Amino acid sequence: MSEENPPEILSMRGGILVMKGVSRFLSATRSRSFIETPPKPKVKKKMPEKENTFKCSLKTIEIMKKETSFSRSEIETLYKIFKKLVVLNRRKSQQGKMNSTQTAAVIGKPNAVQEGIDRTIFREILHNTFDIVTENMLMDRIFCVWDKCNNNLISLESWFKGLDLFLRGSLDAQIEFCFAVYDINADGFITKEEMFQLLKNSLIKHPQEEDPEESVKDLVDIVMKKLDADKDGKVSLEDFKSTIAEEPLLLQAFGTCLPSDRAKETFLSTMK
């Protein structure tokens, strides 16, 4: 060892270096620990669909049990289906509003969206669920007869009563329904003109026919003779009922407006 650097001095220097290293380490650690980390952004939790949104009230259940043939469980199932269709209808309506901002700006505040099923969704239900494929006029007539409130939407009440007739309606109820569908102007009679309107789009047109409408008129004359029991030139509900009692196949003479037995069985099986 050199006398200029005795062991005591070297030991002191080494201790100082160690302490400085420790100080730096502790200082660095403290500085890191005190750095304020930015708060995590609050992520809005997607609220699940409230259970009570699709829960049928006891009042509705009791009313529908009295006015339809559905059981409590069936009413609850049909209520949920209706509500889901309403949500679908509402989304479609909102999409339409987004695509017509100019109109909304002119009109001002938009009207409250009414709860119900519109013609487009109703048409899809008839096609896809009940196998009712028919021309536009008859489809529109079926919608109008279902729409008891005349507000261009199938309300909850109309939904239940329409399905009750479709699925479990008596023959008398089905006769009255079909008659109402075919009675285009709702005056209580089916006239030749109405028969012509209903049949002209449903018949297959042959290219060789010079005047297809003449074939429709001939068919109307034949059907009128069959249905017009009192021979007054028009078909009343009483005429229609008496004819169907003898010829059940004429129930849907002017177009399909009731579901097939297979479609009814399939739909009823989904409610079990």
Side-chain angles (χ1 to χ4, degrees), residues 218-236:
D218 292 340
L219 180 59
V220 167
D221 289 336
I222 294 170
V223 176
M224 177 61 78
K225 289 177 182 178
K226 189 69 177 177
L227 294 176
D228 185 14
D230 58 8
K231 308 303 177 185
D232 63 350
K234 53 190 176 182
V235 179
S236 65

Side-chain angles (χ1 to χ4, degrees), residues 63-74:
I63 292 173
M64 290 303 123
K65 280 179 69 177
K66 291 178 182 177
E67 298 185 358
T68 69
S69 62
F70 296 124
S71 66
R72 179 186 181 120
S73 62
E74 288 173 337

